[in-house]
C-alpha cells in the first residue's frame, strides 16, 4: 500500500519535472525564432511537410463532415418544418466547433506524430548531439522552424476545413435534398457573426495549433533515444494532443460562447 | 535544405488557399456584408419593456433592415429602457413622428425593432428622440391577462 | 614522445584533473587525471561501459563534471558562457559512432553544413572546400548520395570529412573501428593517422579495439572502474607489469576481470537442485 503511494508520488514528481522541462523548452524555442529570419528556407520546407502534406486529409474530412452534417441536420430540422435553417446549423457547427477541433485532432494524428517521430529519430541517431558539437543549436535549427510551421498551418487548415464543410453541406442539402438555395446562404449569413463565430473559431485553431505542435515537438525532443522510446513518444503525442484539444475546447467555448 | 522551386510554390499556394478559405468564410458564410463602415446616425427610443431585445438586434422598416441597436441603457429616474439605434445614413428621411415597436421574428425567433413612418415634415437626425414606442409583448403578461379576462368574464355571468 | 606526457600548458591541449562524474547512483569517474598532448594521437581505452563516450561529452561541454576540472586549450570548459562554448566547439571536430549525418541532406550538403552555418563564405568557395575535404577521405564521387545509401564505413568517412570542414585544432573519435570490415577498417586507420599528421591536429580516439588503436596511437590511457589503471606508449603497455592492463591489451579472457559472473559453488548448485 505504502509502495503504491510512493510510486504515485514518484510518477507525479516526474510529471511535474516534465512539465517544467517542456516550459523551458518552449522559451528556448521562442528565442530561436529570430534565427529563422536569416533562413526562411527552413520555415518554407517545414510548412510544406507539416501544412501542405496535411491538406489532403483535411479537405477530404471537411467535405465528409459537412455532407454528414447536411444530412443529419436536414433529418432533424425537417420535423420542425425548419429545414430552411440548414445553412445555419451546418455553418455554426463547423465554424464554431468541428472546424477547429476536428482539424486539430487530424493534425495531431498526421503531422504531430510525424514531427515527434522525426525529431525522436534524430535524437536516437545522435544527429541532434552532432549538431550541438558542430556549434549549431538544434533547438534553433530543427525545432523552431517546425514549431512555427505548425502554428501557422493550423488556422489555415481549419479555415479550409470549415469552408469545404459548408460547401459539403450545401451540396447535400441544396443539391440532393432540395433545401432552397437562397435560404441556405441567406439564413446562414444572417446568423453567423464575423467576430463572435468566425474569429473565435480562428482563435481556437491558433490555440490548438500552439498546443498540438508544442506537444509533438517536445515529445520528440524529450524521448528516450531508443526505437521503443520513439514509438512511445509518437503515441503519447497523439493521446496528449487529443486530451489537450478537447479540454481546451471546453474552456475556450465557455469563455467565448458563454454569457 | 531541399526547398526547391516546387516546394516553395506549393507552400505559397497552401497559404493562399488557407487565406482564401478564411475570406470565403468571412464573406459568404458570415454577416460581413451587413457590416462595414457604412455611415450611420444615432437615434434614441424609450420603452417600458424591451423584452429580449439585444445589442446588435436589427432595426427594420417595411421589413427591410435599416440599422442596428447599438446600446441599451436603463434610466432609473424615469424607469424606462433607453435604446440607441444606429440608422444607416442613406435612410435619412424618417419623419420625426416615426414609431418604434418591438416585434418577434417568427414564433420563437429573436426580437427586433420595426419602424413605422409617421407623416411629419421634420426628419429624424443624429440625436433625435423617437416619441411613439411600443414595448415588447411579454408572454407571461399576456397569459395572466388572458386568465384574468376569462375569470372576470365568468364572474359577471 | 617520451614516456610521460609533458605537463606544460602549450604542449597539453586537454588537461583533466580530479574528474568525478556520476550518472544516477553509478559513479562513472572517480578521480581521473589525464593529459592529452598537442599534435599526436592519444587513445583512451577500456572495457565497454566504462564511460569513454561520457569522457568525450565532458570534454565537449555537453556534460558538466560533478567535481574536478576539464581544460581545453587553457579554457575551463564548464565555466564557459554559451557563446564561449560554441566558439570552442567550432575548433573541435567530433566523429560519432554512427556518423550522425543529417539524414535529410545529401553527402555534399552534410559536409557543407558547418561551413554554411558558421562562415559567410560564398557558395563557390564552399563548393571547393567541400570537394577538397571529400577528396581527402576518398569519397569525392559520392557527393550526391543520401546518407541512407551509404555503407557504415563510407558514412564514417563522410562524417570525418565533415568534422575537418572547419579545420579544427582537435578531433575526437568515438569508437571509430567498431563493426568495420577489414578493408574499411584499414582505410579508416590510415586516414586517421594521415589527417592527424597532414593537418597538424590533435586526435583523441576512444575505443576498445586494441590492435588497431595501438597501431596508430602515440600514447594510450587505460580506464576501468572510473580510474586510470595504466598509461604509456603502446610499446610500454605491451610489456607492462600490471595484470589488469595486460589482460586488456592482450585480450585474455580471464584475469583481474573474471570470466565467471559471481555464482555459488558449482558442485553444490548442481547437486542441490534447489532454485
Amino acid at each position: 500500500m505504502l509502495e503504491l503511494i510512493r510510486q504515485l508520488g514518484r510518477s507525479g514528481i516526474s510529471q511535474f519535472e516534465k512539465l517544467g522541462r517542456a516550459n523551458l523548452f518552449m522559451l528556448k524555442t521562442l528565442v530561436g525564432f529570430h534565427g529563422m529570419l536569416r533562413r526562411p528556407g527552413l520555415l518554407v520546407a517545414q510548412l510544406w511537410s507539416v501544412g501542405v502534406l496535411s491538406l489532403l486529409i483535411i479537405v477530404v474530412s471537411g467535405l465528409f463532415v459537412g455532407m454528414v452534417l447536411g444530412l443529419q441536420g436536414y433529418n432533424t430540422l425537417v420535423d420542425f418544418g425548419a429545414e430552411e435553417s440548414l445553412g445555419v446549423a451546418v455553418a455554426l457547427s463547423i465554424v464554431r466547433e468541428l472546424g477547429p477541433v476536428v482539424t486539430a485532432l487530424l493534425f495531431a494524428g498526421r503531422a504531430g506524430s510525424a514531427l515527434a517521430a522525426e525529431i525522436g529519430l534524430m535524437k536516437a541517431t545522435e544527429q541532434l548531439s552532432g549538431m550541438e558539437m558542430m556549434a549549431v543549436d538544434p533547438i534553433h535549427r530543427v525545432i523552431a522552424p517546425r514549431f512555427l510551421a505548425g502554428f501557422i498551418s493550423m488556422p489555415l487548415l481549419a479555415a479550409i476545413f470549415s469552408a469545404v464543410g459548408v460547401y459539403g453541406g450545401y451540396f447535400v442539402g441544396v443539391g440532393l435534398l432540395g433545401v432552397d438555395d437562397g435560404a441556405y446562404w441567406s439564413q446562414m449569413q444572417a446568423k453567423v457573426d464575423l467576430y463572435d463565430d468566425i474569429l473565435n473559431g480562428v482563435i481556437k485553431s491558433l490555440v490548438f495549433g500552439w498546443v498540438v505542435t508544442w506537444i509533438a515537438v517536445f515529445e520528440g525532443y524529450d524521448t528516450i533515444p531508443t526505437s521503443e522510446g520513439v514509438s512511445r513518444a509518437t503515441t503519447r503525442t497523439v493521446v496528449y494532443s487529443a486530451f489537450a484539444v478537447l479540454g481546451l475546447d471546453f474552456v475556450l467555448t465557455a469563455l467565448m460562447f458563454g454569457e | 535544405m531541399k526547398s526547391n522551386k516546387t516546394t516553395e510554390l506549393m507552400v505559397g499556394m497552401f497559404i493562399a488557399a488557407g487565406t482564401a478559405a478564411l475570406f470565403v468564410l468571412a464573406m459568404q458564410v458570415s454577416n460581413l456584408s451587413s457590416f462595414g463602415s457604412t455611415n450611420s446616425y444615432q437615434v434614441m427610443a424609450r420603452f417600458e419593456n424591451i423584452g429580449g431585445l439585444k445589442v446588435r438586434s436589427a432595426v427594420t422598416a417595411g421589413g427591410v433592415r435599416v440599422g442596428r441597436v447599438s446600446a441599451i441603457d436603463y434610466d432609473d429616474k424615469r424607469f424606462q429602457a433607453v435604446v440607441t439605434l444606429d440608422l444607416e445614413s442613406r435612410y435619412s428621411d424618417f419623419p420625426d413622428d416615426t414609431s418604434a415597436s418591438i416585434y418577434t421574428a417568427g414564433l420563437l425567433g429573436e426580437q427586433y425593432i420595426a419602424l413605422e413612418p409617421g407623416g411629419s415634415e421634420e426628419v429624424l437626425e443624429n440625436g433625435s428622440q423617437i416619441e411613439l414606442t411600443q414595448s415588447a409583448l411579454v408572454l407571461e403578461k399576456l397569459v395572466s391577462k388572458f386568465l384574468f379576462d376569462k375569470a372576470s368574464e365568468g364572474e359577471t355571468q | 614522445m617520451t614516456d610521460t606526457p609533458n605537463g606544460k600548458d602549450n604542449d597539453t591541449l586537454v588537461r583533466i584533473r580530479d574528474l568525478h562524474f556520476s550518472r544516477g547512483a553509478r559513479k562513472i569517474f572517480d578521480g581521473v587525471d589525464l593529459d592529452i598532448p598537442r599534435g599526436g594521437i592519444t587513445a583512451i581505452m577500456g572495457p565497454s561501459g566504462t564511460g569513454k563516450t561520457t569522457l568525450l561529452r565532458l570534454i565537449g561541454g555537453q556534460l558538466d563534471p560533478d567535481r574536478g576540472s576539464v581544460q581545453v586549450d587553457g579554457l575551463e570548459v564548464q565555466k564557459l558562457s554559451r557563446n564561449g562554448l560554441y566558439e570552442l566547439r567550432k575548433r573541435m571536430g567530433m566523429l560519432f559512432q554512427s556518423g550522425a549525418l543529417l539524414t535529410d541532406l545529401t553527402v555534399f550538403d552534410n559536409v557543407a553544413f558547418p561551413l554554411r552555418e558558421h562562415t559567410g563564405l560564398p557558395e563557390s568557395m564552399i563548393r571547393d572546400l567541400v570537394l577538397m575535404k571529400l577528396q581527402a577521405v576518398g569519397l569525392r564521387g559520392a557527393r550526391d548520395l543520401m546518407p541512407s545509401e551509404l555503407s557504415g564505413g563510407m558514412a564514417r568517412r563522410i562524417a570525418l570529412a565533415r568534422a575537418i570542414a572547419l579545420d579544427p585544432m582537435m578531433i575526437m573519435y568515438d569508437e571509430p573501428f567498431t563493426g568495420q570490415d577489414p578493408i574499411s577498417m584499414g582505410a579508416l586507420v590510415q586516414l586517421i593517422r594521415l589527417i592527424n599528421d597532414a593537418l597538424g591536429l590533435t586526435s583523441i580516439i576512444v575505443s576498445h579495439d586494441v590492435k588497431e588503436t595501438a597501431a596508430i596511437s602515440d600514447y594510450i590511457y587505460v580506464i576501468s572502474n572510473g580510474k586510470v589503471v595504466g598509461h604509456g606508449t603502446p610499446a610500454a603497455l605491451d610489456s607492462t607489469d600490471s595484470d589488469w592492463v595486460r589482460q586488456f591489451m592482450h585480450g585474455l579472457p580471464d584475469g583481474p576481470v573474471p570470466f565467471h559472473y559471481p555464482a555459488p559453488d558449482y558442485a553444490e548448485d548442481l547437486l542441490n537442485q534447489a532454485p
Side-chain angles (χ1 to χ4, degrees):
Chain A
M1 186 62 210
L2 203 60
E3 185 56 36
L4 189 66
I5 298 181
R6 213 175 280 143
Q7 283 214 4
L8 217 63
R10 224 176 291 146
S11 78
I13 290 181
S14 78
Q15 290 291 7
F16 275 115
E17 285 177 354
K18 186 165 186 179
L19 203 61
R21 278 203 303 277
N23 278 290
L24 288 172
F25 174 81
M26 185 77 248
L27 286 171
K28 284 197 227 167
T29 308
L30 291 175
V31 168
F33 276 3
H34 73 88
M36 260 186 293
L37 298 172
R38 273 186 296 129
R39 207 83 63 96
L42 288 176
L43 179 61
V44 170
Q46 288 314 311
L47 277 172
W48 160 266
S49 78
V50 159
V52 176
L53 293 182
S54 304
L55 263 180
L56 183 63
I57 188 174
I58 295 293
V59 166
V60 170
S61 307
L63 186 63
F64 280 114
V65 167
M67 296 200 316
V68 166
L69 269 180
L71 208 48
Q72 290 281 34
Y74 183 85
N75 284 338
T76 309
L77 291 171
V78 82
D79 287 344
F80 296 95
E83 66 267 19
E84 307 285 286
S85 302
L86 184 62
V88 182
V90 169
L92 284 180
S93 315
I94 291 188
V95 163
R96 284 182 181 176
E97 288 299 327
L98 292 176
V101 174
V102 173
T103 305
L105 292 175
L106 290 172
F107 183 84
R110 196 239 144 242
S113 62
L115 280 177
E118 186 188 5
I119 297 175
L121 224 50
M122 286 179 90
K123 182 172 187 190
T125 53
E126 295 186 298
Q127 289 179 50
L128 297 183
S129 207
M131 258 192 240
E132 267 189 4
M133 285 310 292
M134 286 192 278
V136 173
D137 191 339
I139 292 191
H140 292 197
R141 190 117 192 335
V142 170
I143 306 287
R146 285 167 170 78
F147 179 81
L148 195 57
F151 182 68
I152 293 178
S153 299
M154 181 74 87
L156 295 174
L157 289 171
I160 293 176
F161 183 100
S162 300
V164 170
V166 167
Y167 277 94
Y170 174 81
F171 170 68
V172 164
V174 176
L176 297 180
L177 296 171
V179 173
D180 180 54
D181 178 292
Y184 187 87
W185 293 111
S186 64
Q187 294 242 4
M188 186 198 302
Q189 284 165 1
K191 282 290 176 61
V192 175
D193 186 74
L194 180 65
Y195 289 127
D196 285 340
D197 297 316
I198 297 195
L199 189 64
N200 279 336
V202 170
I203 293 177
K204 273 192 190 179
S205 56
L206 280 170
V207 171
F208 293 158
W210 179 287
V211 171
V212 169
T213 318
W214 180 9
I215 291 177
V217 152
F218 177 69
E219 284 291 341
Y221 185 79
D222 200 48
T223 183
I224 301 168
T226 61
S227 49
E228 193 199 350
V230 171
S231 80
R232 278 222 229 108
T234 315
T235 318
R236 269 205 303 269
T237 297
V238 178
V239 171
Y240 286 4
S241 296
F243 283 160
V245 163
L246 294 171
L248 279 173
D249 183 48
F250 173 71
V251 171
L252 289 171
T253 306
L255 285 174
M256 293 176 185
F257 297 107
E259 273 302 309
Chain B
M1 257 191 289
K2 284 181 304 176
S3 64
N4 49 22
K5 289 300 167 203
T6 326
T7 310
E8 290 175 353
L9 182 66
M10 297 300 280
V11 169
M13 280 171 54
F14 165 62
I15 298 194
T19 322
L22 272 171
F23 266 109
V24 162
L25 288 178
M27 297 296 176
Q28 275 287 83
V29 174
S30 82
N31 54 4
L32 179 64
S33 36
S34 41
F35 244 5
S37 41
T38 45
N39 295 324
S40 57
Y41 62 101
Q42 296 194 328
V43 160
M44 313 286 196
R46 290 167 169 270
F47 297 88
E48 295 297 322
N49 194 319
I50 58 163
L53 195 70
K54 297 193 192 1
V55 175
R56 318 259 323 279
S57 295
V59 177
T60 67
V64 177
R65 209 177 69 77
V66 299
R68 283 206 178 277
V69 173
S70 63
I72 297 179
D73 292 303
Y74 187 65
D75 181 347
D76 65 349
K77 301 282 185 294
R78 292 167 56 184
F79 304 110
Q80 285 173 325
V82 182
V83 178
T84 311
L85 284 65
D86 268 359
L87 301 176
E88 284 177 34
S89 300
R90 52 186 168 142
Y91 305 120
S92 54
D93 293 324
F94 282 110
D96 71 355
D97 59 350
T98 298
S99 68
S101 316
I102 300 183
Y103 291 146
T104 310
L107 203 54
L108 304 163
E110 44 191 55
Q111 303 200 298
Y112 63 98
I113 293 184
L115 298 176
E116 211 37 69
S120 161
E121 293 286 308
E122 319 266 308
V123 293
L124 288 174
E125 284 164 359
N126 193 33
S128 304
Q129 179 100 287
I130 293 183
E131 300 297 334
L132 300 160
T133 63
Q134 179 180 312
S135 296
L137 289 173
V138 180
L139 206 57
E140 291 83 349
K141 286 205 182 140
L142 273 181
V143 171
S144 68
K145 184 167 187 301
F146 176 71
L147 291 175
F148 182 73
D149 286 345
K150 269 288 164 197
S152 40
E153 227 176 275
E155 274 177 17
T156 48
Q157 273 180 1
Chain C
M1 274 298 150
T2 52
D3 213 34
T4 347
N6 201 317
K8 268 199 272 175
D9 261 354
N10 48 354
D11 274 346
T12 307
L13 185 60
V14 178
R15 175 197 295 269
I16 297 179
R17 288 286 175 269
D18 195 33
L19 177 66
H20 288 261
F21 184 77
S22 308
R23 185 167 276 140
R26 216 176 120 231
K27 195 137 180 109
I28 303 203
F29 292 118
D30 196 8
V32 166
D33 292 331
L34 271 181
D35 280 329
I36 312 256
R38 267 180 218 273
I41 300 184
T42 307
I44 299 177
M45 302 209 285
S48 306
T50 43
K52 307 191 290 295
T53 311
T54 312
L55 188 62
L56 292 183
R57 287 187 197 270
L58 284 162
I59 296 177
Q62 285 183 314
L63 294 170
D64 279 334
D66 295 336
R67 219 164 76 211
S69 98
V70 177
Q71 282 183 4
V72 175
D73 200 23
L75 297 167
E76 187 70 40
V77 172
Q78 66 190 113
K79 292 216 176 75
L80 288 173
S81 66
R82 195 172 158 279
N83 281 340
L85 187 59
Y86 271 45
E87 286 303 311
L88 182 63
R89 283 184 183 159
K90 287 184 203 171
R91 298 193 284 148
M92 295 182 190
M94 176 126 171
L95 190 60
F96 288 84
Q97 200 166 333
S98 56
L101 296 175
L102 299 173
T103 44
D104 52 335
L105 303 179
T106 62
V107 162
F108 184 92
D109 288 329
N110 259 290
V111 180
F113 184 78
L115 294 168
R116 288 187 180 134
E117 288 289 323
H118 295 305
T119 68
L121 295 173
E123 270 306 300
S124 51
M125 273 200 76
I126 290 184
R127 183 176 179 279
D128 293 338
L129 283 169
V130 169
L131 290 181
M132 285 198 293
K133 309 292 177 188
L134 283 173
Q135 176 75 0
V137 301
L139 286 170
R140 184 166 51 91
R143 77 187 96 146
D144 290 321
L145 294 178
M146 298 297 289
S148 50
E149 295 169 326
L150 301 171
S151 73
M154 289 166 72
R156 273 184 212 177
R157 283 196 275 161
I158 304 290
L160 180 54
R162 185 179 68 175
I164 57 171
L166 291 177
D167 290 322
M169 63 183 175
M170 68 188 257
I171 298 198
M172 298 187 275
Y173 297 88
D174 189 3
E175 308 268 8
F177 307 122
T178 313
Q180 295 288 291
D181 69 81
I183 297 180
S184 40
M185 182 97 84
L188 203 57
V189 168
Q190 204 191 45
L191 258 181
I192 293 180
R193 186 79 240 182
L194 219 62
I195 283 185
N196 189 75
D197 295 338
L199 299 178
L201 299 173
T202 305
S203 303
I204 306 176
I205 303 182
V206 151
S207 174
H208 51 239
D209 286 307
V210 176
K211 183 159 148 289
E212 282 73 26
T213 316
I216 51 168
S217 307
D218 298 318
Y219 203 81
I220 300 179
Y221 282 89
V222 182
I223 296 187
S224 174
N225 289 335
K227 292 201 201 308
V228 175
V229 296
H231 58 98
T233 62
L237 286 185
D238 208 33
S239 49
T240 182
D241 289 333
S242 161
D243 279 340
W244 205 103
V245 176
R246 194 170 339 119
Q247 182 189 11
F248 183 76
M249 298 294 288
H250 295 273
L252 305 171
D254 207 4
V257 179
F259 179 72
H260 285 287
Y261 194 76
D265 183 70
Y266 192 27
E268 270 188 36
D269 217 3
L270 278 182
L271 295 174
N272 272 347
Q273 301 215 338

